[in-house]
Amino acid sequence: MAKAKPTKIVDDTASSASSSGTTPSKSSTTTSRSRKQNALDTLRTDIPHIFQESQKTAANHRKNAIKLRKIQEQCSELNGENGEAAFNKEFIRNLNVVLAIKKKEPAADKVIQFVSSFILCTREKDIANATNEEEEGEGISSRFVEHLMRHLLKGVRVKEKQVRLRSCQLIALSTNSLGAMDDDLYTQLKDSLMERVKDKESAVRVQAVFALSKLQSGEEDEAENEDEENVVQVMIDLMQHDPSADVRRSALFNIEHTKKTLPYILERARDTDPYNRRGVFSKPMEEIPDFRVLSIGDREKLLRYGLSDRDAGVKKACTKMLATRWIQQADDNLLEFLERLDVMSSNVADDVLQAFFAYRGDILGGLVFNDVFWVNLTVESAFLVRAYAEYCHKAEDDLQFEKAVPEVTRHAFYIQKYSNAMQEADEEDRPEAEFIVTQLLMIAKLLDYADENGRRKMFNLLREMLMLDDIPDKHLDCIVETMGRISLNEKDFTRIVIEIISDIRASIDEQEYLRNPEAEGSETPRKRKRSVAEKTRRRSLAMEEVGQNTTELDAMLTRVRCLTITKFMLQRSTEPLKENSYMYGLLNELVIPALARQEEVMQELGLQCLGLICALDQTLAQSNMELFLTCIFAEQASDQLHQLSLKIVFDLLLTFGMAAMSEQISEDRIVDNVTDCLKGNEPELQAIAAEGLCKLMLTRMLKNPTVLENLIILYFDPATAENYHLRQCLNYFMQVYFHSSHDNQVTLSKIFVPTLTHLIQKYNETDRNAEMPAPVVIAQQMLEWCEPRRVLG
């Protein structure tokens, strides 16, 4: 920017007036008029000097704005509209120099800020001088701003991108200082900015969005104002679809927070740009007065997105938001905060508290869990103490852990107290009581059982709870895991659990005996036990014809409970089956009979338990592989059973290897059956099959070009576009598999042509609206996978 040489102004009129013999009033009038005339005559030196000073530092902007306002007033008072016109002309002449300067020029940016400050200053001066509202819109500032806006509106349509950028930038900074505009100017301004938000230059669109956001109305009922509805809708569209992250961020930071816009703001928590994702938590969510304006589902979604984000900055911003702003909105009360999260149905509340404890380490010492607290547990307080105990245990802070959690004997007393309350609770209060007991049982998994008395007390209590008829599965899981910690070793753990299962099953055998004493009396106890499964299966068929009565339903629920306990036990077992003979009785008397039942839940539990047992013994796995493969395509079975069977097949293959599992069944048959799942109509089954095959190929247990070709075709197939589980798995697999080994790239080169030919044919047969890349894009991607320089190591 060219520097204008300041001109020293000497007030000769004032000097002559003081030395003459005129009266004071006449001298004062003459001096004032002379100064005004002097201001008009020196416009071309004074205004450039002020512009020159304003570009040095922002600290003098206010002083220079006042000085410029005085010049403006003097010009107006001396010659009315002509004086204002002369001032405006000189002001615009100096401003035009700045408009053509490129982006990110500090001096030009300071001048733009000064112009904004001057508009604000002159607007404030007019308001102070006005005696009523009508005069506010008729002052010098209103006429000046209108003239300036009309000039800038010409600049937003010129060819030079720098001028468009600076014009939009100045409009954006000056809009806040505008008073009432006439309808014509408002319409021109809105239409011009609407046009600029579609500018090819992203920097221009950013400033246009910022300026357009000033035209949003503060009214809640947006539908009443059609113009504002259009502005808001444009802002939403830009926030969602603009290719520039900066433009989306500008819309995100400047859009109004209303019921209509909040869902779209939350969507930006999944933006492709990490700065935009971080911005959701650092600005819009910080500015909402109370996070309860979001539905519980939206709160859950927002926190899950933030705390699970791959970018550390996003996680930190989300944590800071909930640990400072949101907790303040809950009156700095953790229990009130948890109540607003609805912890009973929340999947993210646990992560929220762990992040909160890590961020606010200053409050950990202030948490008090005394006897009064433990005797009066609520859903929120039980959840809080459990999460705090897990945090201290993970951080190995034994001192804080011991302060928070009572000793084993005392804790067993609390579990028993709330378990009894759960049994006595009515249907409405039962879920809350179950939740509290769940939290206590989860704490029990963390305790130290070195004290023999406490260990025995806890063991007896857990054994009694396992015998309860209506115990939830979550309780069973926690109890079985805790019993595993209490037991001396795995063999002792298995023996104890199997004894408990036998005691539970004894009630079924007794009912069977009482209903049919003559038939049972002719058999020995061993034969009677072995025939229970077959008789139970036959009775289940009869039940479907005559209907199940209460006793038979209770018996089935007891079997389900036994199978569930068995499943949780097997999930924690690692010893080979040959070294744990207790398992064989469980397999023959409980697991295998469950597969013959008609109830779907029994079949699924039986199949899952059988798969877990097979994982402990290779011979047993080999002999049952045929069964698992058959269940994958069983017509009468449910989708869940198909998926479970396929998962078991892959688990066994990954555990024992393809060579071991193909001794009784050929490898080709196993691969063919699994590959057939890729061609099915069940998306989840497709995803499981693709994931399993990817694992086998990454571990080099399977080297099959045909399977690889099918996976590549599936990856580009538009039919799998919405199968996100499958697409994400294949996307990771392709990058790792081909860039980890030169041999894998050689395999791809051999199937390159037939695979591409197949995909081209599919592309020609596919609707053009489908999400399938063009053949040239597919070919380029496959060539990139074959690039030898990309191989790691």
Side-chain angles (χ1 to χ4, degrees):
M1 177 177 178
K3 295 186 178 180
K5 184 177 179 180
T7 303
K8 184 177 180 180
I9 303 173
V10 181
D11 199 342
D12 297 327
T13 308
S15 301
S16 61
S18 61
S19 59
S20 65
T22 58
T23 61
S25 59
K26 185 176 180 181
S27 174
S28 176
T29 304
T30 305
T31 301
S32 176
R33 184 172 181 83
S34 298
R35 285 177 178 173
K36 294 174 184 176
Q37 182 63 44
N38 192 30
L40 190 61
D41 294 340
T42 59
L43 277 178
R44 294 184 66 86
T45 56
D46 290 349
I47 292 180
H49 176 71
I50 292 174
F51 270 75
Q52 181 70 31
E53 291 296 317
S54 68
Q55 70 179 340
K56 295 178 180 178
T57 175
N60 62 17
H61 283 183
R62 182 69 180 177
K63 181 184 71 175
N64 286 321
I66 295 173
K67 186 185 300 184
L68 190 61
R69 166 69 182 190
K70 289 181 179 179
I71 297 174
Q72 185 185 36
E73 288 177 343
Q74 292 170 357
C75 293
S76 177
E77 292 173 3
L78 178 65
N79 203 11
E81 293 183 1
N82 293 332
E84 288 184 31
F87 175 86
N88 293 344
K89 181 179 179 181
E90 181 60 25
F91 186 94
I92 295 298
R93 187 182 72 82
N94 286 270
L95 180 63
N96 286 341
V97 178
V98 182
L99 295 181
I101 296 177
K102 64 181 181 179
K103 180 186 176 184
K104 294 182 180 180
E105 177 63 40
D109 291 337
K110 289 187 180 71
V111 173
I112 294 295
Q113 293 173 5
F114 165 71
V115 174
S116 176
S117 299
F118 170 67
I119 294 174
L120 180 61
C121 175
T122 188
R123 172 68 181 162
E124 290 174 350
K125 193 79 171 177
D126 275 5
I127 293 175
N129 296 334
T131 58
N132 53 56
E133 293 184 1
E134 292 183 0
E135 291 185 5
E136 287 185 18
E138 298 176 357
I140 303 174
S141 66
S142 299
R143 294 189 293 272
F144 169 74
V145 169
E146 180 176 351
H147 179 79
L148 177 63
M149 287 295 113
R150 293 188 186 281
H151 176 72
L152 293 175
L153 289 177
K154 299 175 184 177
V156 299
R157 292 187 171 90
V158 299
K159 183 178 179 181
E160 291 76 11
K161 63 181 180 180
Q162 292 89 350
V163 177
R164 297 199 307 274
L165 172 63
R166 292 295 180 184
S167 298
C168 290
Q169 183 182 12
L170 188 53
I171 290 174
L173 292 174
S174 305
T175 308
N176 281 339
S177 306
L178 294 176
M181 286 186 291
D182 59 45
D183 294 339
D184 180 55
L185 178 59
Y186 175 83
T187 302
Q188 290 183 39
L189 181 61
K190 185 175 76 70
D191 292 344
S192 298
L193 293 176
M194 286 284 197
E195 183 180 347
R196 283 310 99 208
V197 295
K198 301 174 184 177
D199 197 282
K200 63 181 180 180
E201 297 294 333
S202 61
V204 177
R205 298 201 303 274
V206 168
Q207 297 301 329
V209 168
F210 184 41
L212 190 63
S213 67
K214 308 300 181 182
L215 303 183
Q216 298 176 103
S217 170
E219 300 177 0
E220 293 184 3
D221 189 5
E222 299 170 354
E224 294 181 1
N225 190 334
E226 184 179 354
D227 289 337
E228 189 226 342
E229 183 75 13
N230 290 335
V231 171
V232 171
Q233 189 58 52
V234 168
M235 297 280 286
I236 290 173
D237 291 341
L238 290 168
M239 188 168 58
Q240 285 185 301
H241 306 301
D242 196 280
S244 170
D246 293 335
V247 177
R248 297 197 302 273
R249 190 180 311 123
S250 180
L252 172 66
F253 285 175
N254 293 287
I255 196 170
E256 279 188 333
H257 303 156
T258 64
K259 290 182 179 180
K260 176 183 178 181
T261 60
L262 275 177
Y264 300 102
I265 293 174
L266 297 182
E267 282 183 0
R268 293 304 93 207
R270 305 298 285 173
D271 196 281
T272 55
D273 184 74
Y275 294 102
N276 287 357
R277 300 198 300 273
R278 186 190 311 172
V280 173
F281 302 99
S282 62
K283 194 172 189 301
M285 292 300 106
E286 286 272 359
E287 293 175 354
I288 59 175
D290 192 334
F291 66 88
R292 283 179 293 183
V293 300
L294 304 176
S295 66
I296 292 179
D298 286 340
R299 297 173 216 168
E300 179 93 358
K301 187 190 303 181
L302 180 68
L303 293 173
R304 185 174 67 251
Y305 290 163
L307 295 177
S308 62
D309 199 284
R310 67 173 66 92
D311 187 88
V314 178
K315 290 182 181 179
K316 185 176 180 180
C318 179
T319 302
K320 181 181 178 182
M321 175 198 71
L322 65 91
T324 55
R325 183 64 176 170
W326 281 21
I327 193 67
Q328 289 174 2
Q329 295 172 5
D331 299 326
D332 292 321
N333 188 326
L334 267 176
L335 296 180
E336 173 67 21
F337 176 69
L338 290 175
E339 186 177 348
R340 296 182 183 184
L341 290 183
D342 190 17
V343 295
M344 283 187 61
S345 58
S346 175
N347 295 322
V348 76
D350 200 14
D351 294 333
V352 167
L353 274 189
Q354 299 302 321
F356 179 86
F357 292 143
Y359 191 85
R360 295 291 301 273
D362 56 304
I363 69 165
L364 299 184
L367 297 176
V368 179
F369 306 103
N370 51 27
D371 291 340
V372 176
F373 174 88
W374 285 98
V375 172
N376 299 282
L377 286 178
T378 62
V379 168
E380 289 75 26
S381 59
F383 184 85
L384 173 62
V385 69
R386 192 270 304 164
Y388 182 68
E390 288 186 348
Y391 175 79
C392 294
H393 187 268
K394 184 178 180 180
E396 299 182 354
D397 190 345
D398 296 335
L399 180 61
Q400 293 296 335
F401 181 82
E402 292 174 1
K403 287 182 180 180
V405 180
E407 66 276 6
V408 176
T409 304
R410 191 70 177 168
H411 192 70
F413 167 77
Y414 291 133
I415 293 176
Q416 189 168 24
K417 174 183 181 299
Y418 289 103
S419 178
N420 294 337
M422 179 186 71
Q423 298 299 318
E424 298 171 0
D426 55 25
E427 185 177 353
E428 183 179 352
D429 297 333
R430 172 85 182 196
E432 293 184 359
E434 286 183 0
F435 185 83
I436 293 174
V437 175
T438 301
Q439 304 308 303
L440 295 177
L441 289 172
M442 293 174 72
I443 294 174
K445 298 187 296 184
L446 309 174
L447 299 178
D448 183 5
Y449 292 96
D451 177 42
E452 181 62 25
N453 291 330
R455 190 189 74 84
R456 188 181 299 110
K457 173 67 176 176
M458 183 65 74
F459 175 79
N460 292 332
L461 172 63
L462 297 180
R463 184 184 180 95
E464 292 174 6
M465 293 182 69
L466 283 176
M467 301 298 293
L468 297 176
D469 292 334
D470 54 351
I471 183 170
D473 286 356
K474 184 64 176 177
H475 292 184
L476 291 176
D477 190 11
C478 294
I479 290 172
V480 172
E481 183 172 349
T482 305
M483 295 190 78
R485 296 199 67 230
I486 294 175
S487 304
L488 300 177
N489 50 48
E490 187 174 319
K491 188 173 292 186
D492 181 56
F493 165 63
T494 305
R495 177 186 60 79
I496 292 172
V497 175
I498 291 178
E499 286 180 359
I500 295 173
I501 293 173
S502 299
D503 292 341
I504 297 173
R505 292 183 64 245
S507 61
I508 305 177
D509 295 342
E510 184 178 355
Q511 293 172 10
E512 299 283 354
Y513 176 74
L514 292 176
R515 284 202 300 270
N516 202 358
E518 295 181 1
E520 298 291 345
S522 62
E523 297 180 349
T524 63
R526 181 179 296 273
K527 291 181 179 178
R528 185 175 71 244
K529 289 182 179 179
R530 290 180 177 176
S531 62
V532 165
E534 180 61 26
K535 293 176 181 177
T536 304
R537 187 184 67 81
R538 290 198 299 268
R539 283 196 190 90
S540 66
L541 298 175
M543 288 177 193
E544 294 181 355
E545 298 178 2
V546 300
Q548 291 183 332
N549 56 39
T550 305
T551 305
E552 292 165 340
L553 181 61
D554 290 341
M556 190 196 75
L557 292 176
T558 302
R559 292 189 183 92
V560 170
R561 179 154 51 101
C562 292
L563 286 167
T564 305
I565 296 173
T566 303
K567 179 186 72 172
F568 291 140
M569 178 196 69
L570 292 171
Q571 287 174 345
R572 294 164 175 82
S573 299
T574 57
E575 282 191 354
L577 191 61
K578 295 178 180 178
E579 299 178 9
N580 204 335
S581 58
Y582 299 107
M583 291 285 192
Y584 287 104
L586 200 64
L587 174 65
N588 296 324
E589 297 180 7
L590 181 65
V591 176
I592 293 179
L595 296 173
R597 301 281 299 187
Q598 298 297 314
E599 296 85 5
E600 184 177 314
V601 63
M602 294 285 288
Q603 292 177 351
E604 290 183 13
L605 284 170
L607 190 67
Q608 192 170 2
C609 290
L610 180 60
L612 291 169
I613 294 176
C614 288
L616 302 176
D617 186 80
Q618 179 175 316
T619 304
L620 188 64
Q622 291 172 343
S623 60
N624 285 283
M625 179 58 78
E626 178 72 32
L627 171 65
F628 297 133
L629 290 174
T630 303
C631 289
I632 295 175
F633 303 101
E635 295 181 358
Q636 302 297 327
S638 63
D639 292 345
Q640 289 78 9
L641 198 65
H642 294 162
Q643 297 168 16
L644 179 60
S645 303
L646 186 59
K647 289 179 181 178
I648 293 173
V649 169
F650 282 122
D651 287 342
L652 297 179
L653 291 173
L654 291 167
T655 301
F656 301 111
M658 180 66 76
M661 297 309 298
S662 58
E663 289 185 3
Q664 298 185 17
I665 302 176
S666 66
E667 178 179 337
D668 292 340
R669 195 257 175 107
I670 295 175
V671 173
D672 289 343
N673 284 358
V674 172
T675 307
D676 287 342
C677 297
L678 298 175
K679 306 171 184 176
N681 296 323
E682 297 181 32
E684 189 58 30
L685 195 67
Q686 270 187 326
I688 295 171
E691 183 178 352
L693 288 169
C694 290
K695 289 179 179 178
L696 290 174
M697 298 188 75
L698 284 174
T699 54
R700 301 191 178 184
M701 293 184 181
L702 178 65
K703 295 181 180 180
N704 192 311
T706 303
V707 172
L708 183 60
E709 180 179 349
N710 288 330
L711 291 176
I712 295 174
I713 292 172
L714 200 65
Y715 179 63
F716 292 107
D717 192 341
T720 64
E722 296 183 359
N723 193 340
Y724 303 114
H725 179 186
L726 181 142
R727 281 293 182 96
Q728 185 176 15
C729 174
L730 290 178
N731 184 57
Y732 174 82
F733 166 75
M734 299 298 178
Q735 301 294 331
V736 175
Y737 185 74
F738 294 121
H739 296 158
S740 62
S741 171
H742 177 68
D743 294 339
N744 296 339
Q745 292 185 336
V746 172
T747 304
L748 175 60
S749 65
K750 293 179 180 179
I751 63 171
F752 188 100
V753 173
T755 303
L756 185 59
T757 302
H758 187 104
L759 288 169
I760 292 173
Q761 182 179 359
K762 182 177 288 292
Y763 180 82
N764 294 331
E765 296 173 353
T766 302
D767 185 4
R768 288 295 177 267
N769 294 326
E771 297 183 11
M772 184 176 183
V776 63
V777 177
I778 296 175
Q780 290 173 349
Q781 178 63 75
M782 294 177 66
L783 287 173
E784 193 273 336
W785 290 336
C786 290
E787 176 57 58
R789 291 172 294 183
R790 298 294 301 275
V791 177
L792 301 176

